[in-house]
Amino acid sequence: MMSTECEIEVRTATVGDLRSTAALHVAELPHGLFPRLGDGFVRRWHRAHLTSPYGVALVATSGGDVVGFALGSTDRPANVGWILAHHRRELLLAGLRALLARPVLAAGFVRTRGPRYARRLLGRGAAPARVAGKGDVPEAGFGSIAVLEAIVVAPDRQGRSIGATLAEAFLFDVAAAGVDRVELVTKAGAAGAAGFYERAGWHRVGAHVDRDGDEVITYRIDPRFVRAR
C-alpha cells in the first residue's frame, strides 16, 4: 500500500472498483480497440486481470472514490494465455455484442484486426502459464517482460503526482515478482504521455505505426531502478 501527500491511497483493485476503472479507461484513454467496445467490455477485461496470477490491477482512491488506476501484467504472453483459457467465452460474447451495436467500429475491426483476433479467440488453446503466481520468481532463462498497459487519472485529480505514484506501485509489484524488464506503449505527440514516462526514468526503445495508423513509442525500464532511488 502506498499513499501520497494529498491523501491518495494506492492499493490492489477489487471487483467493486471495476465500474469506476472501466469508466475512466473509456473516457480518458480511448486509444485502441478495447475502450471503443464500451464500459461493459472493458470492465470484463479489467476483471480478468484481477483473476489472473499474472495480472496487476491497482487503484488510487481518495475518500473511498477511485480517482485513478494502473493495469498491466508481470508476463504479458502468460497473462493473455491465462485470460483466454479462463475468460475466452465471456470476452468473445461481450466483444461481439459491442461490435454488433457499433457497425462502423465492426467494419474497421474486420479490416485491421479480424484475422488476428479470430485466431486468438477461436483457437483451441492458449499459451500455458509459466509462473505459478504473482509472487513467484520466473525460472531462469524465460526472460519475462512485464507490460504496463494503462495508467489513467481522473481529470480533476491530474497534476498531483497520482500517475507517478501508480507507476511506482506497479513497478514495485513487478520487481517483487522477479521480473527485471517492463515495457509500455504510448501514442507519439500530444495524444500520448512520452514526456511523463521519460521524466520518470523510462527509456525509449522503439517506435512503430499501430493498427489505427498512429505512431506509437515503446518504452522500457528496469523496475529495480525504482527501488534503488
Side-chain angles (χ1 to χ4, degrees):
M1 181 185 299
M2 302 179 65
S3 50
T4 70
E5 294 181 359
C6 54
E7 299 181 351
I8 298 294
E9 178 188 352
V10 174
R11 58 168 172 79
T12 300
T14 67
V15 172
D17 299 320
L18 297 184
R19 287 191 180 276
S20 297
T21 62
L24 275 175
H25 197 158
V26 171
E28 304 302 326
L29 193 66
H31 311 310
L33 173 66
F34 288 0
R36 287 180 283 173
L37 293 175
D39 288 25
F41 183 88
V42 173
R43 186 167 65 250
R44 289 173 173 82
W45 180 246
H46 287 195
R47 184 171 62 193
H49 281 70
L50 290 183
T51 61
S52 169
Y54 310 96
V56 180
L58 306 171
V59 292
T61 64
S62 176
D65 296 326
V66 174
V67 297
F69 76 89
L71 189 76
S73 63
T74 58
D75 183 329
R76 183 173 176 81
N79 188 52
V80 171
W82 195 96
I83 287 174
L84 291 180
H86 295 82
H87 296 275
R88 177 188 281 120
R89 179 179 174 80
E90 173 191 2
L91 292 171
L92 177 60
L93 291 177
L96 287 175
R97 285 195 298 268
L99 288 172
L100 288 173
R102 299 164 173 85
V104 174
L105 178 61
F109 169 79
V110 171
R111 183 179 68 254
T112 61
R113 296 173 169 89
R116 172 173 170 260
Y117 276 82
R119 286 193 300 270
R120 177 175 289 180
L121 289 172
L122 300 177
R124 291 196 166 187
R130 296 193 305 241
V131 186
K134 293 179 182 176
D136 295 333
V137 177
E139 293 181 31
F142 278 125
S144 301
I145 300 177
V147 174
L148 177 56
E149 298 174 19
I151 285 186
V152 179
V153 176
D156 61 341
R157 300 303 180 102
Q158 293 176 6
R160 305 185 188 184
S161 299
I162 298 173
T165 303
L166 281 164
E168 288 196 7
F170 177 83
L171 292 176
F172 273 112
D173 280 2
V174 167
V179 181
D180 60 9
R181 286 189 297 172
V182 187
E183 290 186 354
L184 63 84
V185 174
T186 187
K187 296 280 188 183
F196 168 81
Y197 292 113
E198 289 173 4
R199 289 191 296 273
W202 294 71
H203 304 288
R204 176 172 172 160
V205 295
H208 65 278
V209 175
D210 67 12
R211 288 179 175 79
D212 296 315
D214 298 323
E215 183 183 3
V216 295
I217 305 170
T218 300
Y219 284 91
R220 182 178 293 170
I221 197 171
D222 183 335
R224 295 169 297 185
F225 167 78
V226 176
R227 288 189 167 184
R229 287 192 297 180

